[in-house]
Amino acid sequence: MLSLPGVNFRSTSNGKDWTSVFASVQCERPFEGVFGPARDQLLVLHRNGPVEIENILDRKIGARTVPAGSIHLISSGEEFGINLKESVETAHVYVRRAVIEEVAADIAENDPSKVIINSDVIQNPTLRSLIEATAFALEDDSTASGMFADYLSRAIAAQLIRNHSNAKLKPSNGILNVSRVTPALSEAIDYMSNNMDSTINLSDVAEATNRSPSHIARMFRSELGMPPHQFLIKLRIDRARNLLEKSTMSIAEIAYECGFSHQEHLTRLFRRHLDTTPAAYRRSKRN
């Protein structure tokens, strides 16, 4: 669909270091076509509307008026046909099949390779928020965006498996509440701390700690109350604060040393988290 001449792209993950998900935001003009199956799971969020669409191949979905905020789920490995009768702004998210199966292995009793996401047009506020967060991440040029995308892809996969699949879920023991950091999480934090000047994806942390990416994401949520990408940003800001206080490095050098893409990126996040700029923070510590 995205190769059609009527597609006007706003942003795309092409060129980013995203390995678990592909995403794009675009305006689609009316078209009709049948498309071959993709291995990955496709979600199409209608960001405005309503619009008239017709699913050419699936009578269950058929012709309908789709309001803004609706999500079209198209199962991996399934041929589909669409007749879009009006222009619409959409966000497309392809979650890699390997991610679906990884999360299914954690939360479902089925053989992960047999878990099927049902094709449908749905309203799911949580899933919509996750897709919008993925679209927002397209604008992030930081080296943490890959880890954020990894986290979002697994959160999307969990929503799909729990609410829109044939999976039988494993019994849940609830969220673990611990008062100390477990050895596995300590390993993950050490890896992040030692490599924060480089691009770090969730899969990198998982490989370094011999855990699955989904397990790593759960550990950060249950033990620290935040997803891994937010903790990585916190580590980088804390290191930048230390260098601003104790070194004579320029702010641009500190940004590079701490894994920020450029000085403006450090300044933006510094202001967001500490309500000040790096330059003002340095002056306050030296007066």
Side-chain angles (χ1 to χ4, degrees):
M1 285 185 290
L2 297 182
S3 63
L4 294 173
V7 175
N8 181 15
F9 284 100
R10 304 280 195 264
S11 55
T12 174
S13 61
N14 277 339
K16 290 182 173 288
D17 61 331
W18 293 13
T19 58
S20 57
V21 64
F22 169 85
S24 64
V25 173
Q26 56 278 314
C27 180
E28 300 183 53
R29 296 175 185 170
F31 69 87
E32 181 175 351
V34 175
F35 306 92
R39 174 161 174 76
D40 300 321
Q41 174 65 46
L42 172 60
L43 303 88
V44 179
L45 170 65
H46 287 224
R47 304 181 88 189
N48 60 5
V51 294
E52 298 290 328
I53 68 163
E54 180 181 3
N55 190 304
I56 299 171
L57 301 180
D58 191 336
R59 292 181 181 178
K60 174 177 175 289
I61 295 178
R64 63 173 67 187
T65 300
V66 179
S70 297
I71 302 166
H72 196 164
L73 305 181
I74 300 169
S75 295
S76 58
E78 181 178 282
E79 184 181 44
F80 63 98
I82 297 291
N83 180 7
L84 176 66
K85 300 182 179 182
E86 304 171 64
S87 293
V88 61
E89 183 173 328
T90 60
H92 285 218
V93 173
Y94 284 86
V95 179
R96 304 304 183 203
R97 180 63 196 182
V99 171
I100 298 286
E101 294 184 8
E102 173 204 310
V103 176
D106 278 348
I107 68 175
E109 293 185 349
N110 308 53
D111 177 348
S113 66
K114 305 298 184 185
V115 169
I116 299 171
I117 308 301
N118 303 319
S119 291
D120 204 351
V121 177
I122 63 167
Q123 292 280 344
N124 182 319
T126 300
L127 202 51
R128 178 184 180 181
S129 296
L130 291 169
I131 296 172
E132 289 288 10
T134 306
F136 175 78
L138 293 174
E139 308 298 330
D140 186 357
D141 56 359
S142 75
T143 54
S145 73
M147 180 175 288
F148 188 28
D150 285 345
Y151 175 80
L152 288 169
S153 69
R154 286 160 177 85
I156 290 170
Q159 275 290 311
L160 292 172
I161 294 164
R162 291 184 185 281
N163 300 301
H164 306 289
S165 80
N166 65 337
K168 180 182 179 182
L169 300 179
K170 295 176 181 177
S172 175
N173 295 322
I175 298 176
L176 180 64
N177 184 14
V178 297
S179 59
R180 65 181 182 87
V181 173
T182 58
L185 183 57
S186 181
E187 289 178 26
I189 292 172
D190 286 345
Y191 178 82
M192 287 183 177
S193 299
N194 293 331
N195 296 276
M196 71 171 69
D197 59 340
S198 305
T199 298
I200 304 175
N201 291 317
L202 196 57
S203 54
D204 298 325
V205 183
E207 183 178 355
T209 58
N210 198 28
R211 302 296 195 284
S212 73
S214 296
H215 185 80
I216 295 294
R218 262 198 326 276
M219 282 197 308
F220 274 87
R221 271 293 189 191
S222 63
E223 298 184 42
L224 298 179
M226 67 179 72
H229 68 276
Q230 286 187 3
F231 186 79
L232 178 60
I233 291 171
K234 179 180 181 301
L235 280 179
R236 286 173 166 159
I237 289 175
D238 286 347
R239 184 170 178 180
R241 289 172 62 183
N242 184 63
L243 290 174
L244 286 166
E245 292 178 26
K246 299 179 180 179
S247 80
T248 58
M249 297 169 64
S250 70
I251 294 175
E253 289 173 324
I254 290 173
Y256 178 80
E257 180 72 17
C258 297
F260 295 100
S261 52
H262 43 67
Q263 179 175 335
E264 291 75 15
H265 182 228
L266 167 61
T267 299
R268 184 169 68 248
L269 287 177
F270 211 88
R271 182 182 287 115
R272 182 186 303 168
H273 286 262
L274 300 176
D275 199 29
T276 187
T277 65
Y281 181 84
R282 171 173 269 176
R283 287 194 298 270
S284 71
K285 295 300 178 180
R286 295 186 175 181
N287 289 339

